[in-house]
Amino acid sequence: MEQIERAFEPYRHLDPLGWVGVFRFLPVWGGLIAIVVGTLMLLYGGRNLFRLVAGPLGAVIATVWAGVVAQRFGFGASARTITLAASLGLLGLGLLYPPFVVFFAFGIPVGLLGGQLAGTADWLLGFLPGFMVGGALGVVMHRIVGAVLSAGVGAWVAMLGLMAALNPFLAPVGWLAGNPIAVLSIAGCFAIAGVVFQLFVRPSPEEAEKRRHEKFIAKKRAKEAADQEKRWKKYTAGHAKDAKD
């Protein structure tokens, strides 16, 4: 647990160099797994597979933010226990009901921003409205949010996996790790491509359902036509036999 917290520590702050440096926690085989998982999330994670994305994403969100929120609410002494419990809770809830994780994914950052704007004395008054409004907006835009989150997380996971897999063999990976803007730019391009693919290239759920229905109707009509043709051949063969007799 301590190593996981160390790995995610940079994501609690504006630390691009630390964000990229997480790839060093991955062995080569872990990098290969991250490439596969990240690519699946990038291209197909916004719909049925989003349930698989939402669970781990919820655990990551809790690992990154639960301790911060706990300290703000005065439970700093129990921050590690709260973080572990929140990670397991959001992992399970994300697998069961992904919009719950979307609510937290948007609500917590917006709430923290609102609390920071409100100041230390009125932090709670700024956090709660921001948390509720941000979370509600995330749930309303669930389909778009699912595509953006899955593509963004998938692109980043694949990028880190690629760096981890190539690091022992290619020296330029070390140079790239020291240029987080370049890494973020490459991952951003992948993420944009993934969002475009999920939202505009893949058929929408409604369109996919329509195509399945049309395919079912076409198959049913083809079967009815074949049955009718078979009956007609049988009928004409019977008449021909009667005429011959």
Side-chain angles (χ1 to χ4, degrees), residues 192-206:
I192 292 171
V195 171
V196 171
F197 177 80
Q198 291 193 48
L199 293 180
F200 302 107
V201 177
R202 291 187 70 196
S204 66
E206 296 78 13

Side-chain angles (χ1 to χ4, degrees), residues 8-22 64-65 68 112-113 116 156 180-181 184:
F8 286 111
E9 176 61 31
Y11 292 93
R12 295 172 177 165
H13 317 285
L14 185 61
D15 183 11
L17 196 62
W19 300 345
V20 176
V22 170
V64 174
W65 295 115
V68 177
L112 290 173
L113 178 61
Q116 186 174 357
W156 189 245
I181 301 301
L184 289 168

